[in-house]
Amino acid sequence: MAERAPVKLGVLISGTGTNLQAIIDALERGELRAEIRVVISNRPGVPGLERARRHGIATRVIEHRRFATREDFDRALVEALGEDGVELVVCAGFMRLLSPVMLAAFPDRVMNIHPALLPAFPGVHAQKAALEHGVRFTGCTVFFVREGVDDGPIIAQAAVPVMPGDDEESLSERIRAQEHRIYPWSIQLFQEGRLTIEGRTVRIADFPAGDESLALLNPRSPHSPRMKRPH
Ligand code: GRF
């Protein structure tokens, strides 16, 4: 079978861009067959733009506040992404809600990542909400963007334990490390043409095999095999 062409990405950011960096790193390690055509920020001067420039990637700043409506802003984004020949839009810490204008221009072609195990804790401050709720696990979710907030068919999730003494920062850091693994991998699955959406469910062709040992316990039970000490 002929190898599929690298997928052309447009990455949307608003800030630090560590997920953008993880995608760039995966590209450079040869783990991701993609080309970042453009990085667009809705805020000028953010560190993510500098990361892109350091790697010779084209950048644009399209400030949302210059547009009267969300739709007008999205039209400008769509135009720019079109000019750059983008096939898949990757939101990476992009702090704007997308309107139907964008979703119609890139149907099932917009991904996002959220720092919680959706549908738990959508919206901002997801890590704080998880801590306040007292969950033992939270994590991160890569999904195809739909109109609702952090709603949409789920591609990949990573579960992360909440540890005693965690604060928002320590928990966010633990989650971020997993974001950096599952986002490039999700994009690679897309590139390979392995994702199909059926209703709310994303089917993955040749789903990597797992078994019940993937179950995680937090705290671990003393009866869990990994806790047993040799006699
Ligand atoms: C991440 O926590 C991501 O889940 C959320 O925004 C944050 C972006 O971080 N959507 P960065 O800019 O990629 O470092």
Side-chain angles (χ1 to χ4, degrees):
M1 205 169 67
E3 221 181 343
R4 300 169 75 100
V7 58
K8 300 183 179 98
L9 307 178
V11 183
L12 307 185
I13 62 166
S14 301
T16 324
T18 65
N19 278 285
L20 165 66
Q21 188 68 56
I23 294 166
I24 295 171
D25 293 346
L27 281 169
E28 293 184 349
R29 286 196 303 266
E31 292 169 7
L32 176 56
R33 205 165 142 71
E35 182 194 341
I36 303 178
R37 300 294 294 228
V38 65
V39 170
I40 304 179
S41 173
N42 66 313
R43 293 200 194 117
V46 296
L49 287 168
E50 194 39 50
R51 289 179 196 274
R53 288 188 198 114
R54 270 206 301 273
H55 292 267
I57 298 167
T59 61
R60 295 183 189 244
V61 174
I62 303 179
E63 288 184 75
H64 64 278
R65 54 187 187 88
R66 294 186 189 276
F67 297 86
T69 66
R70 204 178 283 286
E71 287 74 18
D72 286 347
F73 173 58
D74 278 11
R75 268 186 276 278
L77 286 179
V78 167
E79 197 184 318
L81 293 163
E83 278 171 13
D84 292 322
V86 166
E87 296 165 335
L88 177 68
V89 180
V90 174
C91 302
F94 183 63
M95 303 306 281
R96 304 297 303 168
L97 273 184
L98 294 172
S99 76
V101 169
M102 171 66 89
L103 301 178
F106 291 92
D108 297 337
R109 296 283 181 276
V110 184
M111 281 187 190
N112 194 9
I113 188 156
H114 181 73
L117 289 174
L118 291 173
F121 312 122
V124 289
H125 308 305
Q127 301 93 330
K128 184 162 178 273
L131 280 173
E132 285 172 0
H133 199 95
V135 291
R136 294 284 184 230
F137 283 105
T138 180
C140 47
T141 304
V142 179
F143 60 102
F144 283 113
V145 176
R146 289 283 189 270
E147 250 187 80
V149 176
D150 298 324
D151 192 20
I154 290 171
I155 301 164
Q157 293 188 304
V160 170
V162 179
M163 305 305 285
D166 261 340
D167 57 19
E168 209 179 329
E169 201 185 315
S170 62
L171 181 58
S172 301
E173 202 177 310
R174 194 172 309 121
I175 293 172
R176 210 171 297 120
Q178 301 310 315
E179 293 187 15
H180 297 168
R181 298 172 70 194
I182 63 170
Y183 214 177
W185 174 225
S186 299
I187 298 167
Q188 179 57 23
L189 290 172
F190 180 93
Q191 189 277 332
E192 291 172 12
R194 290 167 65 187
L195 305 179
T196 11
I197 305 175
E198 286 172 26
R200 283 213 60 94
T201 304
V202 177
R203 306 262 173 233
I204 304 179
D206 305 318
F207 195 96
D211 56 44
E212 64 273 23
S213 69
L214 281 180
L216 303 173
L217 274 61
N218 186 30
R220 278 188 200 161
S221 146
H223 308 298
S224 124
R226 290 171 69 185
M227 288 287 282
K228 284 196 178 133
R229 294 209 178 87
H231 296 290

